[in-house]
Amino acid sequence: MAQVIKGVFPQKPKSETESKKDDKKVPSYILHISITFSDPLIWRRIQVPGTFTLAQLHDTIQLSMGWTDSHVHQFLVGKISYEPTIRTNLPRESKRFDEHKYKLYALEDGMRFMFSYLYGAGEGWEHEIHLEEIVPPERQLKHPILLSGEMACPPESVGDIHQYQELISALESPDSKVQKSLYELTGRPDFDPNYFDLEAAKKRVSMGR
């Protein structure tokens, strides 16, 4: 998991409904998102409106990385965990910190200290998020922008980064049978861990799908 950083953390972030700040004067944020322990580093750099909720940030991360939103996820901002509240017909207590209710600008202090995103059950895929730049709101950003990135998104049939690194090492083996079986595991015979189609990913993010 992400390293714990000592400091003064916001104990009660303002929700979307609680905050009185004028959305028209909210900055945007440039975030560097990387998969923890990946080597070479798998990363994306995005710019998102400060008016985005964590739920909208989740969607943007999924699109920029190339994930398919097939697993559970959660954010850790400061010392607080944010998750989606699952809608069901059965009685269920709502999450105290529902990601749909919190906008990024209201979480700015926590984002400066600790910001991570976990995708997948079990060990899953942990993403470290670094707040690189706060962009003044001279020109209001309406939609997220993918700025740059490197390395392919790992196949979701692989459980975590450690299994994936073993997969990559095996792909370098001269044994063609090993390579074939590993390509079958990914479900993509043409999978190249070093290739990231930036333009295609930019289009996904801009279109929101």
Side-chain angles (χ1 to χ4, degrees):
M1 295 295 291
Q3 182 181 1
V4 176
I5 303 175
K6 294 182 179 179
V8 178
F9 301 93
Q11 296 300 313
K12 188 177 180 181
K14 293 182 179 179
S15 72
E16 178 181 351
T17 55
E18 291 173 329
S19 179
K20 302 300 182 181
K21 192 169 184 179
D22 185 355
D23 287 357
K24 294 182 180 179
K25 298 180 181 178
V26 171
S28 61
Y29 300 103
I30 295 179
L31 306 175
H32 185 279
I33 303 163
S34 61
I35 297 181
T36 310
F37 303 124
S38 58
D39 183 20
L41 194 66
I42 304 168
W43 62 274
R44 306 290 185 262
R45 189 167 177 258
I46 62 175
Q47 183 174 357
V48 290
T51 54
F52 258 31
T53 64
L54 286 174
Q56 290 173 299
L57 178 59
H58 157 71
D59 292 337
T60 303
I61 293 174
Q62 289 284 311
L63 293 168
S64 65
M65 288 299 303
W67 298 121
T68 62
D69 202 4
S70 302
H71 304 288
V72 296
H73 70 274
Q74 69 181 61
F75 286 94
L76 181 65
V77 187
K79 296 192 295 183
I80 298 174
S81 175
Y82 300 82
E83 302 175 31
T85 296
I86 301 174
R87 291 178 173 81
T88 175
N89 293 328
L90 299 175
R92 179 183 176 89
E93 182 179 355
S94 296
K95 298 285 185 183
R96 180 182 177 188
F97 296 106
D98 186 332
E99 65 177 26
H100 292 84
K101 297 180 179 179
Y102 293 88
K103 293 187 176 183
L104 296 181
Y105 70 76
L107 302 172
E108 188 176 299
D109 289 343
M111 289 162 56
R112 294 172 184 270
F113 289 104
M114 180 185 294
F115 198 5
S116 63
Y117 169 77
L118 182 63
Y119 175 60
E123 292 298 324
W125 301 89
E126 184 181 0
H127 303 65
E128 294 183 4
I129 306 177
H130 295 283
L131 175 54
E132 285 194 342
E133 186 177 345
I134 300 173
V135 182
E138 284 94 1
R139 185 176 180 180
Q140 190 72 22
L141 185 68
K142 300 291 186 181
H143 306 287
I145 301 171
L146 174 60
L147 302 172
S148 55
E150 290 185 346
M151 309 302 290
C153 179
E156 293 186 75
S157 56
V158 182
D160 60 33
I161 187 58
H162 304 295
Q163 294 180 32
Y164 181 64
Q165 300 285 188
E166 293 177 1
L167 169 66
I168 298 305
S169 297
L171 286 175
E172 298 173 355
S173 168
D175 187 341
S176 60
K177 292 183 178 179
V178 172
Q179 289 182 319
K180 181 179 179 180
S181 64
L182 290 169
Y183 280 134
E184 290 174 348
L185 176 63
T186 68
R188 296 168 57 187
D190 60 343
F191 179 72
D192 180 356
N194 298 307
Y195 178 69
F196 173 55
D197 191 336
L198 178 60
E199 293 308 313
K202 283 183 175 181
K203 186 176 181 180
R204 285 199 307 270
V205 171
S206 66
M207 296 180 65
R209 58 182 175 86

